Amino acid sequence: MLLKNLSLENLDLSDNDISQKMVEKLANESLMTNTTLRSLNLSTNPIGDVGAAALAELLKFNHSIESLSLIDCEIWGPGCSSLAVAMRDMKGLKSLYIDGEMEGYADEVLASLQSNMTFTHLWMDRTSYLVRKDRKWRLVEFYLRLNRSKRRMLVESVHFSLWPGILEGVSGNASVAYYFLRQKPEVMFSSLLP
């Protein structure tokens, strides 16, 4: 059904007792080629680590899914690790909502965010606490802020005349503006030209 559906953008399958095997089938057969789905909610289903690994693999290839919710899905270390490492290659996913042991994988998330410039939001049940108390999670949040500020502009070919507007968009955040200017010091001169 999902293979042929050309209009479905949001799919909420939360609290449907979906198992690991069912998620594997959904990921490998129905969602692999779907290009319309933007949001997938599988919260409160026992998908476990196997289901999380199947979704991590799916999101490397399906770039249309932008939001994934996996709250209360019995995902532990191996599943969190799969998602955190695969995040590097997830070119469409922007938001992940997850609980469990994800907070133990700051190094993997940070390594993935070094190259992933589309991922903008990671919500865990202790996100605000971790960002305040843990240096690595503060770095993760910094990279997420960079991505929300269009960090990909640093590697794409952007005409100099557009940089003043880009920098104006990050002006409220000194650390992000500093990062942008360190990466592209020549844009400072473009903003001074008439």
Side-chain angles (χ1 to χ4, degrees), residues 48-60 75-90 96 98 102 105 108-109 112:
D49 296 329
V50 172
L55 290 168
E57 193 62 27
L58 164 73
L59 293 169
K60 289 181 184 179
I75 300 171
W76 305 109
C80 291
S81 177
S82 295
L83 287 164
V85 170
M87 198 180 292
R88 172 181 306 125
D89 300 315
M90 295 177 186
L96 174 62
I98 189 168
M102 191 60 141
Y105 293 89
E108 290 83 350
V109 171
S112 289

Side-chain angles (χ1 to χ4, degrees), residues 100-127:
E101 297 182 1
M102 191 60 141
E103 64 188 57
Y105 293 89
D107 289 329
E108 290 83 350
V109 171
L110 196 53
S112 289
L113 287 175
Q114 301 288 322
S115 61
N116 183 323
M117 296 185 190
T118 58
F119 195 81
T120 59
H121 294 89
L122 175 61
W123 182 92
M124 301 173 296
D125 48 357
R126 294 175 11 115
T127 301

Side-chain angles (χ1 to χ4, degrees), residues 163-174:
W163 276 103
I166 294 168
L167 291 175
E168 185 176 315
V170 300
S171 65
N173 190 323

Side-chain angles (χ1 to χ4, degrees), residues 31-78:
L31 295 177
M32 189 61 76
T33 58
N34 182 289
T35 59
T36 61
L37 191 64
R38 300 284 176 254
S39 175
L40 177 61
N41 184 352
L42 291 169
S43 293
T44 323
N45 286 298
I47 69 167
D49 296 329
V50 172
L55 290 168
E57 193 62 27
L58 164 73
L59 293 169
K60 289 181 184 179
F61 302 101
N62 182 318
H63 299 164
S64 67
I65 298 175
E66 297 175 350
S67 178
L68 177 63
S69 185
L70 299 173
I71 303 297
D72 195 22
C73 287
E74 299 178 16
I75 300 171
W76 305 109

